Amino acid sequence: MKTFLYLLFGTLLLVLFFGNIYLGPVSLSPSEVTDVLLGNDTDEAVAYIISHNRLPQAITALLAGAALALSGLILQTLFHNPLAGPSVLGITNGASLGVAIVMLATNGMIVTSSGAWGYLLVIAAGLAGALLVTFFLLILSTMVRNSLILLVTGIMISYVISSVITLLTYNASASGIQQYVLWGMGDFSLVSLDMLPWFSTLLVLALLFSLPLVKSLNVLQLGTGYAEAMGISVNRARNILLLTTGVLCAVTTAFCGPVSFLGLAVPHIVRFFFRTDNMRMLMPLCILFGAIVALLCNLVSTSLSYTVLPLAAVTPFIGVPVILWVMFTGRR
């Protein structure tokens, strides 16, 4: 049965990936798209749409979904909380604050008038904000042994950052607020073809770095007392896991904007289908399912109408039912 599920979801991943390339707000015939993918001569406008928009967007969705899902799994295991997600510790809000400072302080002109340099500055600001929160949590984790206190501290950081963003928004111009709101809706198309190698390299390296952490996660989910008895340094393992999560969330949020619910919901979807707590299975499965769900959300946002819907309007339809299911089944 599990082999069948692996084949089914692997096939679904391929179908959704190519669905993101063949379908979109601009209607193209399958033969036109196929010619571009095969390198045959075709219309320049069609080639541009496929190579500079749809293909980078599909790759971005695949990697971002995988990163967010793995981050959610790590955080839920680390804090023994099924409702922990990438946004809980304030890392996503840190990226939002960095972007808000750049966009709102310049009244949005940094994006509209500076071209590629403005785009790079926005990404750098998002990365800096997210990593700053991550390093603060790492320092705090060396002083606080209780994971629950660390989790609550992350939530408080999120509230403080939200307050700062509100103050910046209150004093910003209409154009700056518009640019920031558009970024805050999330969009996998924000990663251009030129920036795709940087985005892909950073996330692939972070994903590969996280795979050897499977032993620590397997032991930590049994409790810190058991982990220490097995010779695992809980503080060291927690710091490495926080750093990995911080990098995954920072890169994804800085490049794509905040993408809600994927990291929170996907680990529960995986557990529902495969009924396992073994991290050797859960980690690669979360990467697979994160990519599937992100590609599905992107396909819905780009193919249901002649305009592109924001991701923030699509992801809750998948994430909210899963979270409600977790809450109500947990009560029983």
Side-chain angles (χ1 to χ4, degrees):
M1 182 63 181
K2 288 185 178 180
T3 302
F4 171 76
L5 289 175
Y6 285 129
L7 293 174
L8 174 64
F9 292 122
T11 303
L12 180 59
L13 176 67
L14 291 175
V15 170
L16 288 172
F17 181 81
F18 284 103
N20 275 267
I21 297 174
Y22 278 84
L23 301 175
V26 178
S27 180
L28 299 175
S29 68
S31 60
E32 289 178 313
V33 178
T34 303
D35 286 338
V36 174
L37 295 177
L38 295 178
N40 300 331
D41 292 333
T42 185
D43 184 79
E44 289 185 4
V46 175
Y48 185 87
I49 291 173
I50 300 300
S51 61
H52 285 75
N53 182 268
R54 293 188 185 179
L55 184 58
Q57 195 168 350
I59 296 173
T60 299
L62 187 150
L63 292 174
L68 291 173
L70 184 58
S71 298
L73 176 67
I74 291 173
L75 291 175
Q76 288 169 14
T77 304
L78 183 60
F79 293 107
H80 302 282
N81 189 328
L83 298 181
S87 61
V88 169
L89 291 179
I91 298 171
T92 301
N93 283 35
S96 299
L97 177 60
V99 173
I101 292 173
V102 171
M103 286 188 175
L104 299 180
T106 61
N107 296 324
M109 297 300 293
I110 192 68
V111 179
T112 57
S113 63
S114 301
W117 286 108
Y119 175 65
L120 287 173
L121 183 58
V122 170
I123 292 174
L127 280 170
L131 292 176
L132 185 63
V133 173
T134 301
F135 286 127
F136 175 78
L137 290 171
L138 286 173
I139 294 172
L140 186 64
S141 69
T142 60
M143 299 181 290
V144 177
R145 294 179 60 86
N146 192 315
S147 295
L148 179 59
I149 295 177
L150 187 62
L151 179 62
V152 173
T153 304
I155 295 173
M156 295 301 104
I157 291 173
S158 297
Y159 281 119
V160 172
I161 292 176
S162 296
S163 298
V164 175
I165 293 174
T166 300
L167 291 173
L168 291 172
T169 304
Y170 182 77
N171 294 301
S173 66
S175 60
I177 294 173
Q178 182 185 27
Q179 291 291 339
Y180 178 71
V181 168
L182 290 175
W183 176 86
M185 291 181 180
D187 189 352
F188 292 133
S189 67
L190 293 175
V191 181
S192 64
L193 183 63
D194 294 333
M195 294 303 299
L196 185 62
W198 292 96
F199 175 79
S200 302
T201 301
L202 289 171
L203 279 192
V204 168
L205 288 176
L207 288 169
L208 291 175
F209 178 79
S210 66
L211 292 179
L213 303 176
V214 60
K215 180 181 178 181
S216 297
L217 285 170
N218 265 332
V219 176
L220 283 173
Q221 69 179 336
L222 299 175
T224 56
Y226 183 83
E228 291 174 348
M230 292 290 293
I232 300 292
S233 174
V234 174
N235 282 339
R236 180 174 178 273
R238 186 170 62 179
N239 290 341
I240 294 174
L241 292 169
L242 282 174
L243 180 61
T244 303
T245 303
V247 172
L248 291 171
C249 295
V251 173
T252 304
T253 307
F255 278 86
C256 307
V259 181
S260 59
F261 287 107
L262 291 188
L264 194 59
V266 170
H268 297 296
I269 297 175
V270 171
R271 285 190 172 98
F272 174 79
F273 279 109
F274 291 90
R275 305 292 182 182
T276 180
D277 287 321
N278 187 348
M279 290 296 161
R280 295 187 185 277
M281 293 182 61
L282 283 178
M283 290 182 71
L285 286 171
C286 277
I287 291 173
L288 172 65
F289 267 78
I292 288 174
V293 174
L295 286 169
L296 176 61
C297 291
N298 190 64
L299 186 62
V300 170
S301 69
T302 57
S303 303
L304 287 186
S305 64
Y306 291 103
T307 185
V308 177
L309 300 174
L311 279 174
V314 177
T315 53
F317 286 99
I318 294 177
V320 170
V322 173
I323 302 310
L324 291 176
W325 172 75
V326 170
M327 291 171 62
F328 284 108
T329 55
R331 287 181 185 177
R332 289 198 296 269

